[in-house]
Amino acid sequence: MPRHDIHCRFFSQEDLLAAGCLDIRMAMDAAESAIRAFDKGDVLFPDKIVQIFNDETQERINCLPATFKDKEICGMKWVSVFPPNPVKHGIQNLSAVIILSEIVHGFPIAFMEGTLCSNIRVGSIGALAAKYLARQDATSIGFIGAGEQAKMHLIAMKTAIPSLTTCRVAAKLVAEEEQFTREMSAIVPDMDFSMANSDLERAIDGADIIVTATSAQAPLLKADWMKPGAFYSHIGGWEDEYNVAKLCDKIVCDDWETVKHRTQTLSRMYKEGLLADDDLYANLVELVRGTKPGRENDDERIYFNAVGLAYVDVGIAIAMYERALEAGLGQDLQIQREMIFEHADLKDWVRL
């Protein structure tokens, strides 16, 4: 082998799925480990770089790096979000790739499809929050939204709270509810599914766990629908009326300092002076490290808002890489065989 040979491994989405990487327990463990590592100062997490191509539609590509010093791996998620895609082109609005490099020599070790990891991260963080904040005997879950994030959240919540047996779903189009029910009933066969025919209250009223997963910027979820003891996982931007947060006994974020500068419901409330720092009960890390208790009684209404922390994506991506590598999947990619000026034919390739 030439002295300057450099290789990395390419993993497609299908490679990762075949390796068993759609494993919420694995992702929850990786997410919790990542949160602990970050809390101890073992993670480098610089600011993301955002390139917005259309201010009106928010079509953008983000670069989100993080390094796990103990694992000696640096990773980056390169994610595109193009909200008009589904309607304008009939394709998904989010796609991502992940690059991992070792930091002993600085060479790349993996180039991975990243949409799966990104969706798993959203679901696993919701599931991790549910582990601490939802009633562990919860039986019903209600969704506003029936897309990819809702589907992943159902898998995640069923993993975290196995007692769930009833799922109600409401979407803008009944066809979306039908697709959700068809696809998810095959994956979670012991779940009783009910379509709400776009009636949001019907999907949510009385549910033990509530999930809003839409791209709508409107207060869809009403406080009156949230029963005592309910756990609410807020995924998107502005999906609930302010009274939902006011009603809740505890408000928990993955990272409040990040959330309050975005455009979520809680962010809007903060900017309008309706929510203060002291109104936040905890960040998720405080529950993970045990410095604050999670749910303390069966009647607490609890609000969880995750804005998404890319170092968690990288932590989960490392776990997926290790599993796929162990399974012998993926393809070898040769980055280079020799250094530039070691090529015997370089004189024939130079253009002067």
Side-chain angles (χ1 to χ4, degrees):
M1 179 180 294
R3 179 164 168 246
H4 295 123
D5 203 50
I6 298 177
H7 292 254
C8 78
R9 200 83 183 159
F10 167 70
F11 298 98
S12 68
Q13 185 178 108
E14 288 71 24
D15 291 329
L16 298 171
L17 288 169
C21 290
L22 209 175
D23 182 340
I24 297 297
R25 292 202 183 279
M26 178 190 76
M28 288 173 67
D29 289 344
E32 191 158 355
S33 294
I35 290 169
R36 292 181 186 277
F38 181 79
D39 190 43
K40 291 190 300 181
D42 290 337
V43 178
L44 302 178
F45 188 40
D47 292 339
K48 70 179 180 179
I49 299 171
V50 180
Q51 299 175 91
I52 299 175
F53 312 119
N54 187 314
D55 289 331
E56 182 180 350
T57 64
Q58 287 293 295
E59 292 166 85
R60 62 196 184 274
I61 292 179
N62 300 342
C63 172
L64 304 104
T67 297
F68 286 79
K69 293 186 286 187
D70 59 333
K71 293 180 179 292
E72 298 185 323
I73 293 179
C74 174
M76 180 201 72
K77 181 171 79 166
W78 182 267
V79 56
S80 69
V81 183
F82 278 59
N85 275 357
V87 172
K88 191 174 180 181
H89 303 294
I91 56 177
Q92 67 199 58
N93 69 344
L94 184 146
S95 65
V97 294
I98 292 171
I99 298 173
L100 302 178
S101 293
E102 47 83 9
I103 61 171
V104 176
H105 307 98
F107 292 161
I109 57 175
F111 180 80
M112 308 165 58
E113 189 278 337
T115 310
L116 177 65
C117 179
S118 190
N119 284 346
I120 288 175
R121 187 264 304 158
V122 177
S124 63
I125 287 294
L128 189 59
K131 170 183 168 183
Y132 294 100
L133 299 171
R135 288 186 53 154
Q136 298 305 294
D137 62 350
T139 60
S140 59
I141 184 169
F143 285 90
I144 295 177
E148 294 289 301
Q149 295 292 4
K151 294 168 189 174
M152 192 65 74
H153 240 67
L154 178 58
I155 296 172
M157 290 298 182
K158 178 63 174 176
T159 301
I161 312 293
S163 57
L164 288 172
T165 56
T166 302
C167 175
R168 302 195 299 271
V169 59
K172 187 176 181 179
L173 301 175
V174 174
E176 295 175 315
E177 298 177 13
E178 292 172 344
Q179 182 178 0
F180 178 97
T181 301
R182 182 175 63 255
E183 292 176 356
M184 299 314 296
S185 60
I187 296 170
V188 194
D190 62 341
M191 187 76 71
D192 180 22
F193 288 88
S194 175
M195 295 183 295
N197 294 314
S198 301
D199 183 337
L200 307 187
E201 181 177 3
R202 179 179 165 191
I204 299 302
D205 190 26
D208 295 318
I209 295 176
I210 299 166
V211 179
T212 54
T214 80
S215 59
Q217 293 293 310
L220 304 177
L221 176 65
K222 309 300 181 185
D224 289 346
W225 306 342
M226 194 174 187
K227 74 173 186 179
F231 167 67
Y232 171 38
S233 182
H234 174 116
I235 298 176
W238 183 31
E239 302 174 327
D240 51 314
E241 64 180 9
Y242 290 174
N243 283 339
V244 173
K246 292 178 180 178
L247 178 68
C248 286
D249 301 287
K250 288 176 178 172
I251 299 174
V252 178
C253 294
D254 57 351
D255 184 78
W256 169 236
E257 285 301 315
T258 304
V259 168
K260 70 182 183 182
H261 297 298
R262 299 293 182 85
T263 58
Q264 279 84 0
T265 306
L266 299 182
S267 318
R268 291 170 181 263
M269 294 177 69
Y270 176 77
K271 291 169 186 174
E272 293 176 26
L274 301 175
L275 192 69
D277 291 339
D278 291 342
D279 294 322
L280 272 289
Y281 172 69
N283 282 326
L284 186 56
V285 63
E286 296 175 272
L287 310 183
V288 169
R289 77 160 91 102
T291 51
K292 285 187 178 179
R295 175 173 290 274
E296 295 179 270
N297 65 67
D298 288 346
D299 291 328
E300 285 183 307
R301 295 179 178 91
I302 301 180
Y303 188 121
F304 177 67
N305 184 193
V307 71
L309 300 169
Y311 73 82
V312 177
D313 291 76
V314 174
I316 294 172
I318 292 171
M320 295 171 72
Y321 160 71
E322 292 171 343
R323 179 167 289 189
L325 194 64
E326 184 179 353
L329 295 173
Q331 303 173 44
D332 177 72
L333 290 182
Q334 185 174 49
I335 305 300
Q336 72 175 39
R337 183 170 53 84
E338 297 173 315
M339 293 178 65
I340 295 170
F341 289 95
E342 293 176 338
H343 289 91
D345 297 325
L346 187 63
K347 64 182 184 302
D348 300 325
W349 300 335
V350 175
R351 295 294 182 263
L352 295 176

